[in-house]
Amino acid sequence: MTKTMAASYREILDRIKRVQAESPLAAKQVRLLAVSKFQPVEHIGELLALGHRTFGENRVQEAAEKWPHLRREFPDIALHGIGPLQTNKVKEALQLFDVIEVLDRPKLAESLAHHWGMPGRRTQALYIQVNTGEEPQKAGILPQEADDFIRWCRGDKQLPVEGLMCIPPADVPPAPHFALLHEIARRHALPERSMGMSGDFATAVQLGSTEVRVGSALFGERA
Ligand SMILES: *Cc1c(COP(=O)(O)O)cnc(C)c1O
């Protein structure tokens, strides 16, 4: 098990490096976010032992159970919140996550702005989630509303928006979605583009991703 995860980890890092070297649009720095949802703490420990420190979790509840004691042992961990966030979980999310990648609607922006000054806030940066495929069941601001929403969050709400995030539709080529996200980020000079998962991270890196969110390719299939 340990050997398998170490091998997958190195393969993924090598693949990212290779694609970066070959692709004119690739970012100079690409962060590997290890998506540890549903993974027991023992699996996370194996990655920590390899020196990895950047992780993503989907649910506030699960993150609160797993991460506070890992942080005591590894204070340089960076934890990103990447799953849908309800406004009644905002305070807890602001204490748990260094980055929240799922700012996707005005009501959530209002709530984040309202609680930003709270004591014990850990969150330093926000990414706006864009629903590039305009899927009704998926979270994210629609592409045609993204420009206004980004300006409003940074301007009126004074929120530190540093990037964009997308999850392309499952059954189509992801490249146009990554290109669209990159283009919206470019218009607003946003430095971070969180795009690419286990199945498509190489394509995302080719198209300028600064952060790939990889779960199953790293940890194996989730239970
Ligand atoms: C689960 C999840 C991932 C990782 O998915 P894999 O296909 O297992 O790499 C990435 N991003 C988000 C938002 C997720 O929910």
Side-chain angles (χ1 to χ4, degrees), residues 35 37 58 82 165 167 197-199 213-217 222:
V35 176
K37 65 182 175 204
N58 283 58
I82 61 170
M165 179 272 231
I167 310 171
M197 316 197 332
S198 288
R213 310 179 307 269
V214 178
S216 43
R222 287 178 285 275

Side-chain angles (χ1 to χ4, degrees), residues 22-195:
E22 293 163 357
S23 314
L25 288 179
K28 288 203 178 59
Q29 301 279 344
V30 178
R31 179 185 313 117
L32 171 61
L33 194 77
V35 176
S36 48
K37 65 182 175 204
F38 306 133
Q39 298 297 340
V41 169
E42 303 82 72
H43 290 184
I44 295 170
E46 292 185 43
L47 268 189
L48 287 166
L50 293 167
H52 192 75
R53 293 294 182 269
T54 51
F55 293 85
E57 285 281 349
N58 283 58
R59 292 173 57 241
V60 167
Q61 175 77 34
E62 185 179 349
E65 284 162 16
K66 281 153 63 175
W67 288 92
H69 79 271
L70 288 169
R71 278 195 194 276
R72 279 194 282 279
E73 202 180 337
F74 301 94
D76 54 342
I77 281 170
L79 187 63
H80 291 211
I82 61 170
L85 182 57
Q86 295 170 306
T87 48
N88 64 0
K89 297 276 171 65
V90 160
K91 281 170 78 175
E92 211 179 343
L94 286 169
Q95 291 175 301
L96 278 167
F97 298 126
D98 299 273
V99 177
I100 294 175
E101 302 198 7
V102 292
L103 174 48
D104 65 347
R105 59 196 191 278
K107 193 169 170 231
L108 183 57
E110 298 276 11
S111 180
L112 287 162
H114 180 73
H115 292 293
W116 199 258
M118 69 182 254
R121 169 174 55 84
R122 177 182 290 280
T123 307
Q124 298 296 324
L126 304 169
Y127 301 170
I128 287 174
Q129 183 175 354
V130 182
N131 187 355
T132 56
E134 305 183 35
E135 296 172 280
Q137 81 285 6
K138 200 167 269 176
I141 200 86
L142 293 172
Q144 61 271 23
E145 294 168 2
D147 289 328
D148 285 345
F149 186 63
I150 293 165
R151 275 190 222 105
W152 178 76
C153 288
R154 301 172 92 183
D156 293 40
K157 295 293 125 191
Q158 293 283 296
L159 289 169
V161 175
E162 292 191 1
L164 303 179
M165 179 272 231
C166 75
I167 310 171
D171 45 2
V172 301
H177 298 268
F178 297 149
L180 174 59
L181 198 78
H182 195 172
E183 171 54 24
I184 301 171
R186 190 196 58 75
R187 285 207 288 271
H188 295 271
L190 292 170
E192 295 284 349
R193 300 169 297 271
S194 171
M195 53 191 204

